[in-house]
């Protein structure tokens, strides 16, 4: 996730300058990151007012209106309008591993349709591998699908694939970083990671490290 300031704002040039930081919704990945990153950057979180915008588009509007210093801006928008935005915080610069989302289904559906669940995970894993192997080809597909120009699409895909944050499995560091974000948001829940994740449906060869000592 990348947080941008307006290029026209001379007062915001680094994370140390940020005073009003927009995230989407409470308990979201962006909420967690706005809580974790200041500490990792050595910045006093007390100097930052965190603003829940409700969504990426709403945060984008707050930024353009000058109501916040930085907000999530879709990468393709930032690439197409470099004269309007400047990158202030890129989460991979501070966190090498962070579990942002998972592919989830119900227990009943997984039991009744195990092949479908495995195929979806396998397809996703194959897609990630193909993007890493040939980001230019992936960017052309992305551009054709979205209508964006190929140059901007290529910049977005190459940046996303270069930080190695996408994958079809899970690992201890990523899961625990996400849990740190949950706890920073005020939750005291202690999930049973051994039952929360089911590795039986993962594609072959992906990372499958549990945070707890679980039996495979």
């Amino acid at each position: 996730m990348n947080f941008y300031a307006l290029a026209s704002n001379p007062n915001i040039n680094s994370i140390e300058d940020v005073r009003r930081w927009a995230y989407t919704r409470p308990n979201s990945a962006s909420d967690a990151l706005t809580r974790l990153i200041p500490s990792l950057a050595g910045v006093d979180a007390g100097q930052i007012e965190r603003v829940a915008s409700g969504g990426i588009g709403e945060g984008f509007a707050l930024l353009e209106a000058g109501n916040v210093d930085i907000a999530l801006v879709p990468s393709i928008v930032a690439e197409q309008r470099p004269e309007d935005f400047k990158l202030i915080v890129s989460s991979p610069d501070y966190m090498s591993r962070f579990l942002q989302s998972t592919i989830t289904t119900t227990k009943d559906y997984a039991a009744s349709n195990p092949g479908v669940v495995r195929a979806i995970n396998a397809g996703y894993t194959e897609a990630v591998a193909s993007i890493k192997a040939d980001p230019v080809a992936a960017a052309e597909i992305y551009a054709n699908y979205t209508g964006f120009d190929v140059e901007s699409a290529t910049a977005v895909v190459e940046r996303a694939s270069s930080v190695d944050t996408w994958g079809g499995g899970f690992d201890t560091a990523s899961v625990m970083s996400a849990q740190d974000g949950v706890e920073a948001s005020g939750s005291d829940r202690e999930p049973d990671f051994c039952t929360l994740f089911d590795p039986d449906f993962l594609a072959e060869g992906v990372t499958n490290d549990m945070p707890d000592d679980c039996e495979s």
Side-chain angles (χ1 to χ4, degrees):
M1 289 188 175
N2 294 325
F3 298 86
Y4 290 80
L6 293 177
S8 59
N9 187 345
N11 299 317
I12 308 298
N13 297 294
S14 71
I15 190 173
E16 289 83 3
D17 302 324
V18 176
R19 296 296 179 270
R20 287 177 58 82
W21 189 336
Y23 64 97
T24 56
R25 296 174 300 278
N27 300 315
S28 64
S30 63
D31 178 12
L33 290 174
T34 59
R35 295 176 185 275
L36 297 174
I37 289 176
S39 176
L40 295 170
V43 173
D44 179 9
Q47 72 182 17
I48 300 173
E49 179 184 356
R50 300 168 56 262
V51 180
S53 64
I56 293 178
E58 292 87 340
F60 185 54
L62 289 175
L63 179 65
E64 292 200 304
N67 293 325
V68 296
D69 295 330
I70 62 173
L72 283 170
V73 174
S75 295
I76 193 67
V77 174
E79 290 292 344
Q80 292 191 309
R81 296 169 55 186
E83 70 281 1
D84 293 331
F85 305 102
K86 53 185 173 183
L87 180 60
I88 302 299
V89 176
S90 181
S91 57
D93 290 342
Y94 301 93
M95 304 183 70
S96 60
R97 310 300 302 167
F98 182 79
L99 186 66
Q100 178 178 331
S101 60
T102 59
I103 298 176
T104 306
T105 185
T106 65
K107 291 182 178 180
D108 288 344
Y109 187 88
S112 302
N113 303 274
V116 174
V117 178
R118 291 191 179 94
I120 290 173
N121 282 322
Y124 178 83
T125 301
E126 182 180 343
V128 170
S130 69
I131 292 170
K132 290 180 180 179
D134 195 344
V136 174
E140 291 177 351
I141 295 172
Y142 179 36
N144 289 333
Y145 179 75
T146 60
F148 296 123
D149 63 271
V150 174
E151 183 178 359
S152 297
T154 300
V156 171
V157 172
E158 288 183 339
R159 177 184 295 167
S161 61
S162 68
V163 295
D164 193 30
T165 57
W166 309 98
F170 43 83
D171 60 75
T172 297
S174 300
V175 174
M176 293 312 300
S177 291
Q179 180 62 17
D180 287 343
V182 170
E183 293 174 0
S185 299
S187 173
D188 59 358
R189 67 183 183 184
E190 297 183 4
D192 181 356
F193 294 114
C194 298
T195 58
L196 183 62
F197 297 97
D198 188 343
D200 291 341
F201 297 92
L202 298 181
E204 293 184 5
V206 300
T207 304
N208 175 14
D209 297 327
M210 295 287 192
D212 295 334
D213 184 16
C214 308
E215 295 183 3
S216 300

